[in-house]
Amino acid sequence: MVRAASAALPLIDRGSLRQLETHFIAPEIYRRDDLARRQGQLAQLISDRVIPQLLRLHSDVVPDAPPVEVVVKALAPDRDDITGLADIILGSDLEAAVSYVTLLRDRGLSMDALFVELLEPTARHLGEMWDHDLCDFIDVTLGVARLQKLLAAFNNSHIAPQLDSRRAVLMAMTPGDQHFFGVTMVERFLLASGWKVRTETSASAAEIADATQGSWFAVAGLTAGSEQMIDSLTTTIARIRQQSCNPHIGIMVGGPIFTANPALAAEVGADATAPNAPTAVLIAQKLFDTAIARQGPRAAG
């Protein structure tokens, strides 16, 4: 089934797929000699843990809904589709993974729907498995890297000129915040996933905004540890939007208050929120892709 859709991919050539490897994972990780073994182990973990959780999601969120098997197959992934998720994330053949996603998209699922219903929940669960010592940092990085590559391929952001130099993130703590751990973890995963990262842990709102004015960033990530930081965070985001030399900069936020109330992200002026570091990497790629779509690949160069 995966191979059957390969003819439907005229815009994603083999050379481009191979080249993506150099963008979405740090060289020191990509050159490890145990990648094949790790990919196999993590694929098994995803098959055993992620897929059953996704299958339960339908009935857990809507207890009275009909079982997955009777949902209209033309619009929603079925059990066989979800089983293929391990191939999407960790299969050694990215062409096969692209072909798999093409099948779902051709059945009527948009990339936005696939992101929300399959890819983002999987990145989130990878982070949860790491939290529970079910896989290590390298395993999660490999999984997130493949998710990034799929998003870039289907959103055509992989054809943007100077892709490497434009995949840059400014990470900062909201002025007044003292919780370094969240920023440190997101920075670590972003670096391992091929992003250039500048981190500010003690800058004022004006200094953070000035940084986005002086250097081009695709995304700004801000953390807030408590509700007392809301006003400061809102002010900082507004300054970034006013001053950034990238008019389409994506802004994501994180911290306990957003995990408890994700809708708060929109209230402070952000584009998205991420509950953990692996998800933050995938959301950064999504925001980058959205910016490329708004301004066109040439403008991104």
Side-chain angles (χ1 to χ4, degrees):
M1 181 178 74
V2 168
R3 297 288 184 181
S6 60
L9 301 170
L11 298 180
I12 308 176
D13 60 79
R14 295 187 179 186
S16 294
L17 293 177
R18 287 193 296 268
Q19 187 179 20
L20 291 180
E21 297 285 350
T22 65
H23 294 300
F24 296 113
I25 192 164
E28 61 271 20
I29 294 175
Y30 181 66
R31 289 194 294 263
R32 291 178 64 104
D33 58 10
D34 60 350
L35 287 188
R37 178 180 60 80
R38 287 180 174 275
Q39 286 183 333
Q41 290 175 338
L42 188 51
Q44 187 63 51
L45 279 170
I46 290 171
S47 296
D48 293 344
R49 297 178 181 273
V50 178
I51 292 169
Q53 177 170 325
L54 289 172
L55 287 170
R56 289 194 300 269
L57 183 62
H58 182 69
S59 57
D60 289 345
V61 174
V62 188
D64 297 328
V68 172
E69 288 77 7
V70 299
V71 175
V72 179
K73 290 188 176 182
L75 297 178
D78 61 16
R79 180 181 293 271
D80 289 338
D81 297 328
I82 296 172
T83 302
L85 189 61
D87 285 337
I88 293 179
I89 301 169
L90 293 170
S92 59
D93 184 354
L94 186 57
E95 292 178 71
V98 169
S99 297
Y100 174 86
V101 177
T102 300
L103 287 173
L104 297 181
R105 188 187 63 178
D106 289 349
R107 276 178 20 188
L109 286 171
S110 67
M111 280 308 299
D112 285 341
L114 286 169
F115 180 84
V116 171
E117 295 178 19
L118 290 176
L119 304 184
E120 190 274 339
T122 300
R124 182 171 66 245
H125 195 75
L126 286 173
E128 293 168 357
M129 289 196 297
W130 182 56
D131 289 339
H132 291 90
D133 294 325
L134 296 174
C135 54
D136 65 19
F137 175 75
I138 303 298
D139 294 330
V140 178
T141 297
L142 292 170
V144 173
R146 183 156 301 275
L147 289 170
Q148 286 190 98
K149 286 182 278 188
L150 284 168
L151 280 175
F154 276 89
N155 290 328
N156 287 329
S157 65
H158 67 296
I159 64 176
Q162 299 180 359
L163 176 61
D164 281 339
S165 65
R166 293 301 180 175
R167 294 181 71 247
V169 177
L170 173 67
M171 286 299 303
M173 295 170 56
T174 298
D177 196 359
Q178 299 297 319
H179 297 84
F180 292 86
F181 183 74
V183 172
T184 302
M185 284 297 98
V186 175
E187 177 189 41
R188 185 183 179 195
F189 273 96
L190 284 166
L191 288 169
S193 299
W195 288 83
K196 293 179 173 64
V197 185
R198 172 174 170 178
T199 302
E200 299 285 352
T201 58
S202 59
S204 65
E207 290 169 336
I208 294 171
D210 286 345
T212 66
Q213 185 176 38
S215 300
W216 199 100
F217 293 99
V219 178
L222 300 166
T223 64
S226 67
E227 292 185 359
Q228 285 69 36
M229 302 291 101
I230 292 295
D231 289 342
S232 178
L233 177 59
T234 304
T235 298
T236 302
I237 291 174
R239 283 177 175 264
I240 291 173
R241 298 225 186 262
Q242 291 170 357
Q243 296 181 223
S244 174
C245 65
N246 173 14
H248 302 288
I249 189 170
I251 298 179
M252 61 180 179
V253 290
I257 56 175
F258 297 105
T259 301
N261 181 16
L264 189 59
E267 295 181 22
V268 300
D271 298 302
T273 181
N276 59 31
T279 312
V281 176
L282 194 63
I283 288 176
Q285 184 63 44
K286 177 68 171 177
L287 293 175
F288 177 74
D289 291 352
T290 299
I292 294 298
R294 286 176 180 171
Q295 60 191 343
R298 292 188 179 277

